[in-house]
Amino acid sequence: MSLGCPKALVDSEQILTRLRAEGYEISSSYDGADLVVVNTCGFIDAAVEESLDAIGEALAENGKVIVTGCLGAREGLIRELHPKVLAITGPHAADEVLQHVHTHLPQPHDPFTSLVPPQGIRLTPQHFAYLKISEGCNHSCTFCIIPSLRGPLVSRPIGDVLLEAKNLAAAGVRELLVISQDTSAYGVDLKYRTGFHGGRPIKTRLKELCEAMAEFGIWVRLHYVYPYPSVDELIPLMAEGKLLPYLDVPFQHANARILKAMRRPASSENNLERIRAWRAICPDITIRSTFITGFPGETEAEFEELLAFIEEARLDRVGCFAYSPVDGAEANALPGAVPDEVREERRRRLMDVQEDISAELLAAKIGREITVLVDAVDDEGVIARSSADAPEIDGLVFVNDFFDAEPGDFLQVRVVDADEHDLYAEPLE
C-alpha cells in the first residue's frame, strides 16, 4: 500500500521490484497476502491521519504489517496506536524493508536466478512513469519537515538515471515525470561531476540530463522545480520541443516578509520577471505552482499582495493549501497564528480568482490543434492529457464519441470547448 507523493510511489516501486526479483508474488488483496507493507506519508496532519488509518486497516484485514515511509520517522506515534506492527522504518529504506520481509516471510528463491523486466515493477499505468533523480533536500523551509524525514540532497548518478529512463522508454512508457524534492538542485551535491551513459561523458546537471532524455523521443515533464536562474537554461529546450513546455514551480507566496519567514528563495518581483522571460522564449509554456494561505503572521494586506501576484502572473495551474501546522516544523513557533477559518477563507478567495484566470486561459485554446496522450477510453470516448496536464493534478482533454484509440496513443485533436479545468476536443481527420 503506497500513500503520499510520487517520490514515495517511486520508493514503493523499488521495494516491489526487489521483492519480485527475489521471487515474492505481489497480491492485490489483503486476503491473498502473507504480509502487508504500508508506505506512509507524514507531511501534514491529514496525511498522518490517512497513514495511521491505513496501518490500522491493514492490521485488521491481514495482521502482519511492516510500516515504512516518512511517518516511520515518528515510530513512537505509530507504536502507540498500532503496537502490533511487525517493524517500522523511515523513508527510502528499501534495504531495511527487505530485511524485515525476509525475517517474517522467508525469501522464496535466489534473486540471481529470478527475472523481472528491466524497468522494474511499476504502480503507474504502462504509458507513463515517475523518474526520481535525487533524494532529500538542502533547504530549511520553516513550514516543512521533509529534510528531517528524508535527509539532505543526494543526487543519483546520471548514468543510473539515464539507464532507467532508457529502459522505461523501451518498455513503452510515453511520458516521464521527473521528480525529486528539489529538481533544480540535481547534481549540486556532486559538484556537477561528470558521469557516463553509453560510454559518453555527461555532466551531472539538470540541463544535461534533460538534453540526454530528449533523445528517447518521449514526453519529459519536470516537477518540483525551484525558480533558480539555472532553470532559465531549460526554456530553450522547451521552445525547441525537446522538453514538454511545462514547469511545476512551488512559489508558495508573493509577499517578501512572508517568503523570508518561510525561508523561500526568490522574491515575487524576481519571479514575475522570470515568468515574463520564460514566456518570451516559449510562449506555450505551462506554469503550475502551489501557494499557502494563512501562514503565521500573514496579514490581510500581505494576502492581498499574493492575490495581486496571482492576477498578474496568470499561472496556468494553481494549487492552494490553507496553512497546516506540521509537528516539528519551525513555523509553528512563529507569532501571529492565523485562525483556521481565516486561513480557509483566504484559500477559497485565492482559488476563486485563479478559477477565473484558468477558465480564460483554457477558453483561449478553443480552435487550436494540439497533441494529446490517451490515458483511457470509456463509454463516452477518449480521456487524454495535453502537454499542459500532468496526471492526477491537472486537467483532462475529453474527446467524446471517439473510441479508436488506446492508452499510450498520441492523438492530434482540435479544441472545441473548455471549462475552468478541462478541454473538450475532436480528432483531426
Side-chain angles (χ1 to χ4, degrees), residues 38-55:
V38 180
N39 191 359
T40 59
C41 179
F43 185 43
I44 61 175
D45 290 347
V48 171
E49 184 176 348
E50 181 185 15
S51 293
L52 291 171
D53 288 346
I55 296 168

Side-chain angles (χ1 to χ4, degrees), residues 90-166:
H92 53 89
D95 288 343
E96 294 178 61
V97 172
L98 268 290
Q99 290 171 9
H100 290 307
V101 172
H102 295 159
T103 299
H104 298 282
L105 191 63
Q107 185 176 335
H109 55 82
D110 194 320
F112 295 105
T113 62
S114 301
L115 297 176
V116 294
Q119 73 274 16
I121 305 298
R122 297 282 158 177
L123 298 177
T124 49
Q126 291 185 351
H127 62 284
F128 70 83
Y130 294 101
L131 180 67
K132 184 161 60 171
I133 62 174
S134 66
E135 287 286 358
C137 180
N138 287 342
H139 291 288
S140 55
C141 300
T142 56
F143 56 81
C144 180
I145 59 171
I146 294 298
S148 65
L149 295 175
R150 304 188 77 92
L153 175 71
V154 179
S155 299
R156 293 179 59 196
I158 193 165
D160 291 355
V161 174
L162 289 172
L163 178 60
E164 182 178 352
K166 180 181 178 180

Side-chain angles (χ1 to χ4, degrees), residues 81-95:
L81 293 176
H82 301 300
K84 293 184 179 181
V85 295
L86 299 176
I88 300 172
T89 82
H92 53 89
D95 288 343

Side-chain angles (χ1 to χ4, degrees), residues 214-288:
E215 297 175 6
F216 299 137
I218 60 178
W219 280 7
V220 178
R221 187 186 303 275
L222 300 181
H223 283 281
Y224 314 125
V225 178
Y226 277 72
Y228 304 142
S230 60
V231 175
D232 299 347
E233 300 176 356
L234 303 176
I235 311 305
L237 301 181
M238 298 180 182
E240 295 165 13
K242 295 180 178 179
L243 275 179
L244 283 187
Y246 181 102
L247 279 180
D248 177 5
V249 188
F251 292 124
Q252 305 298 14
H253 212 279
N255 173 264
R257 190 189 70 81
I258 294 294
L259 286 170
K260 184 176 181 180
M262 288 179 168
R263 223 176 279 148
R264 298 291 290 178
S267 67
S268 60
E269 291 81 6
N270 289 341
N271 287 334
L272 285 171
E273 181 180 343
R274 186 159 287 131
I275 290 169
R276 293 189 195 100
W278 292 345
R279 287 173 172 157
I281 297 170
C282 183
D284 288 334
I285 190 171
T286 295
I287 302 175
R288 173 181 178 79

Side-chain angles (χ1 to χ4, degrees), residues 178-193:
V178 178
I179 59 171
S180 66
Q181 200 60 43
D182 179 2
T183 298
S184 313
Y186 177 66
V188 168
D189 56 312
L190 301 177
K191 298 182 180 179
Y192 306 121
R193 183 169 64 216

Side-chain angles (χ1 to χ4, degrees), residues 135 152 204 379 405:
E135 287 286 358
T204 305
D379 293 341

